[in-house]
Amino acid sequence: MRIGILALQGAVREHKRMVEACGQEAVAIKRVDELADIDGLILPGGESTAMRRLMDRYGFTEALRESDLPMFGTCAGVILLAERIIGQDEGHLGKLDITVERNSFGRQVDSFEAELDIEGIGEKALAVFIRAPHIDAAGKGVQVLSKVGEKIVAVRSDRHLGISFHPELTDSLVFHRYFIEMVQENMAKEVLA
Amino acid sequence: MQQTGTERVKRGMAEMQKGGVIMDVVNAEQAKVAEAAGAVAVMALERVPSDIRAAGGVARACDPRIVEEVMNAVSIPVMAKCRIGHITEARVLEAMGVDYIDESEVLTPADEVFHLKKDDYTVPFVCGCRNIGEAARRIGEGAAMLRTKGEPGTGNIVEAVRHMRMVNQQVRQIAVMSDDELMTEAKNHGAPYDILKEIKELGKLPVVNFAAGGVATPQDAALMMELGADGVFVGSGVFKSDNPEKFAKAIVEATTHYQDYELIGKLAKELGTAMKGLDINQLSLEDRMQERGW
């Protein structure tokens, strides 16, 4: 299995290390044609406005909107996946039926780390929230996996996993393993189809 | 339990900026140009370094009104500079909610002996460095991000190159050094032993290191990435050029695709004139900002 990491800006190196620690091959993706050779894609943390501009410029926005690849977005990545963003006219990729609010925990001085309970996973996961968004509303077909207080911070649908925080800044492989299982399920389905 | 201001949270913030460009801006309008161009953060200033140079006198932390104006104008992180060792300027910026503070040699130092004890703060700090000694001391004081100093406000990349090469060469040397050589190495550089040990174990700096001080063209930005920078600070290079909007976009794209030479060539063709540069040899030692910091 090959997991791509969108490498326009942000925490690419950390995700690569996590995917490799899970025993899978990780590839940095800088050009649209490289999407053909991967089984799943990670949209890393970074600045979503900066990433979107570069995605538009190099055809990623269109290609990813049309793509059936399983995707995993962390922080800025979940903003890219969301159908709706509070205060903006439209979402970026529209993959997950959720509404997100950017910087919803405050500025950098309010950034924090915490241990989270994750739905369906027995172990607690250490999570780092950096100027993080939260998921204000999740539609049908979207399962809520974790909350901080009342704020939803992790969701999944059939092929998309979106979280507000950064497991890649910790040693916790929980979410990367979870995504890799999603990719495996998807590959199995494709073989059947 | 939620913990703010941890080392992981502070260093992590800088990790998210990697591969990006941080631009100096002096008002809301420039901040918006930077954000639209794809900057990952802006540095709010009263004057860009080349104007600080021209104005002379004492350069202090930015007027809080400008910082506030910039913070209200954009959704990307906002950084601001304080003078080296100026505890109160730093605390005021922290209280205002600035996302990152640059304890910067671009401003006139407030303390000629001591830097800030940066791990006392919730807000993360970035500091300049020219070599592994400066880098390790700043990390030891709690800097969560570094930038090589270069020579700010010159539009001349030579010092940025010198400093990036020096830091990375010294990191490589430490990475292969035997344990019994490390203490003497720490002594020779005036560097904290623990930090050098961490560098040796990781094989790299424990924090992100951007390039700064002299980036004037997309080619300059790409060169710094080629030499191992994690990202680029552009000071006077954008808003002292002929066409700031185009320069800003081109520098962002050249930083992302720093080895796509055809693309960089295309970007450079459309640009017009870059900021006027300064020969480093014409700057006297006291006019060199890089000499500040200890």
Side-chain angles (χ1 to χ4, degrees), chain B residues 52-97:
Chain B
I52 290 177
R53 237 175 232 298
V58 174
R60 309 182 182 91
C62 180
D63 183 338
R65 282 174 301 185
I66 295 177
V67 178
E68 209 169 67
E69 178 188 321
V70 169
M71 283 168 67
N72 290 334
V74 293
S75 66
I76 54 177
V78 175
M79 302 185 169
K81 291 180 191 292
C82 73
R83 283 180 266 179
I84 290 173
H86 204 308
I87 299 166
T88 309
E89 281 185 354
R91 286 294 183 192
V92 168
L93 292 171
E94 181 181 49
M96 290 181 70

Side-chain angles (χ1 to χ4, degrees), chain A:
Chain A
M1 178 192 303
R2 284 158 68 92
I3 303 288
I5 301 148
L6 188 65
L8 297 175
Q9 189 267 315
V12 178
R13 190 164 68 203
E14 288 71 17
H15 275 295
K16 199 157 181 280
R17 178 176 63 88
M18 300 298 265
V19 170
E20 284 163 358
C22 292
Q24 306 296 337
E25 193 184 342
V27 225
I29 304 290
K30 283 204 171 195
R31 293 196 320 269
V32 166
D33 56 356
E34 293 166 334
L35 293 171
D37 303 324
I38 55 173
D39 304 301
L41 179 68
I42 295 178
L43 306 170
E47 285 304 320
S48 61
T49 49
M51 280 196 231
R52 171 62 194 268
R53 227 199 71 72
L54 291 164
M55 281 167 60
D56 283 353
R57 181 81 186 199
Y58 298 104
F60 274 106
T61 310
E62 208 173 313
L64 292 179
R65 277 182 184 155
E66 285 165 14
S67 168
D68 288 332
L69 276 174
M71 294 180 204
F72 173 21
T74 61
C75 195
V78 74
I79 297 171
L80 295 176
L81 288 177
E83 277 187 16
R84 295 164 300 276
I85 303 165
I86 290 177
Q88 294 183 18
D89 293 341
E90 52 178 8
H92 301 295
L93 299 177
K95 291 290 179 184
L96 268 168
D97 181 7
I98 55 172
T99 306
V100 294
E101 181 172 11
R102 294 179 61 205
N103 302 334
S104 76
F105 292 90
R107 301 194 72 97
Q108 171 60 16
V109 287
D110 307 304
S111 294
F112 63 96
E113 51 183 282
E115 286 206 315
L116 297 184
D117 288 313
I118 319 291
E119 187 71 31
I121 296 174
E123 58 183 298
K124 277 188 185 279
L126 180 61
V128 183
F129 291 78
I130 294 175
R131 289 170 43 94
H134 89 284
I135 297 147
D136 197 60
K140 276 184 196 153
V142 175
Q143 185 192 355
V144 174
L145 299 177
S146 192
K147 289 182 177 182
V148 169
E150 288 307 302
K151 289 181 171 172
I152 303 170
V153 294
V155 294
R156 70 162 291 179
S157 65
D158 208 18
R159 261 178 302 160
H160 301 109
L161 175 62
I163 63 179
S164 301
F165 47 89
H166 299 283
E168 77 278 13
L169 295 178
T170 74
D171 295 323
S172 167
L173 293 174
V174 168
F175 281 95
H176 289 79
R177 281 202 205 107
Y178 193 95
F179 179 60
I180 285 164
E181 270 172 38
M182 284 173 67
V183 175
Q184 273 159 350
E185 280 164 27
N186 189 62
M187 287 164 83
K189 267 188 225 160
E190 277 182 359
V191 171
L192 286 176

Side-chain angles (χ1 to χ4, degrees), chain B residues 222-277:
Chain B
L223 169 64
M224 296 318 296
M225 296 300 287
E226 184 78 49
L227 292 176
D230 288 317
V232 178
F233 279 90
V234 187
S236 321
V238 169
F239 291 100
K240 287 288 164 189
S241 67
D242 260 6
N243 189 334
E245 241 163 90
K246 275 193 176 169
F247 258 81
K249 283 183 189 167
I251 288 177
V252 168
E253 286 182 35
T255 303
T256 304
H257 295 282
Y258 64 92
Q259 287 178 323
D260 189 337
Y261 308 116
E262 224 172 284
L263 171 81
I264 297 171
K266 232 185 272 169
L267 293 169
K269 254 195 294 193
E270 304 165 3
L271 284 183
T273 314
M275 72 177 282
K276 195 171 175 312

Side-chain angles (χ1 to χ4, degrees), chain B residues 4-294:
Chain B
T4 57
T6 62
E7 189 177 271
R8 210 195 302 261
V9 164
K10 293 199 278 192
R11 290 183 178 182
M13 162 80 201
E15 300 285 348
M16 297 310 137
Q17 305 263 295
K18 274 189 312 212
V21 180
I22 300 170
M23 295 181 197
D24 281 358
V25 299
V26 299
N27 55 39
E29 190 195 334
Q30 289 187 355
K32 283 182 181 154
V33 170
E35 184 176 47
V40 292
V42 289
M43 177 78 73
L45 282 165
E46 246 172 79
R47 287 194 281 259
V48 293
S50 63
D51 287 340
I52 290 177
R53 237 175 232 298
V58 174
R60 309 182 182 91
C62 180
D63 183 338
R65 282 174 301 185
I66 295 177
V67 178
E68 209 169 67
E69 178 188 321
V70 169
M71 283 168 67
N72 290 334
V74 293
S75 66
I76 54 177
V78 175
M79 302 185 169
K81 291 180 191 292
C82 73
R83 283 180 266 179
I84 290 173
H86 204 308
I87 299 166
T88 309
E89 281 185 354
R91 286 294 183 192
V92 168
L93 292 171
E94 181 181 49
M96 290 181 70
V98 162
D99 294 299
Y100 235 95
I101 298 178
D102 185 352
E103 186 186 20
S104 178
E105 70 281 1
V106 169
L107 305 181
T108 313
D111 190 324
E112 293 194 333
V113 183
F114 301 113
H115 281 251
L116 295 171
K117 184 167 161 20
K118 292 168 275 287
D119 47 12
D120 281 350
Y121 295 71
T122 306
V123 67
F125 279 84
V126 55
C127 283
C129 63
R130 292 179 297 180
N131 52 50
I132 201 69
E134 292 184 354
R137 288 196 293 279
R138 300 296 86 82
I139 296 168
E141 292 153 359
M145 177 182 189
L146 295 171
R147 52 173 178 75
T148 45
K149 286 177 176 173
E151 190 53 48
T154 60
N156 187 339
I157 201 68
V158 67
E159 295 300 295
V161 167
R162 188 193 318 280
H163 301 158
M164 186 57 69
R165 279 202 181 271
M166 176 63 77
V167 169
N168 287 341
Q169 179 193 49
Q170 290 174 324
V171 166
R172 283 192 297 271
Q173 284 167 350
I174 288 165
V176 296
M177 201 164 272
S178 72
D179 284 341
D180 54 3
E181 294 168 335
L182 211 54
M183 185 59 83
T184 300
E185 186 75 0
K187 185 195 78 176
N188 291 342
H189 292 300
Y193 174 77
D194 290 348
I195 305 290
L196 293 197
K197 206 159 169 258
E198 197 180 354
I199 292 169
K200 176 172 154 56
E201 277 157 18
L202 293 170
K204 65 180 190 65
L205 291 168
V207 300
V208 165
N209 185 24
F210 273 44
V215 174
T217 65
Q219 290 93 324
D220 287 345
L223 169 64
M224 296 318 296
M225 296 300 287
E226 184 78 49
L227 292 176
D230 288 317
V232 178
F233 279 90
V234 187
S236 321
V238 169
F239 291 100
K240 287 288 164 189
S241 67
D242 260 6
N243 189 334
E245 241 163 90
K246 275 193 176 169
F247 258 81
K249 283 183 189 167
I251 288 177
V252 168
E253 286 182 35
T255 303
T256 304
H257 295 282
Y258 64 92
Q259 287 178 323
D260 189 337
Y261 308 116
E262 224 172 284
L263 171 81
I264 297 171
K266 232 185 272 169
L267 293 169
K269 254 195 294 193
E270 304 165 3
L271 284 183
T273 314
M275 72 177 282
K276 195 171 175 312
L278 262 179
D279 183 354
I280 300 298
N281 294 318
Q282 289 171 356
L283 284 177
S284 67
L285 214 55
E286 25 323 342
D287 286 336
R288 294 185 196 182
M289 293 171 172
Q290 60 174 282
E291 299 298 328
R292 300 164 170 174
W294 8 95

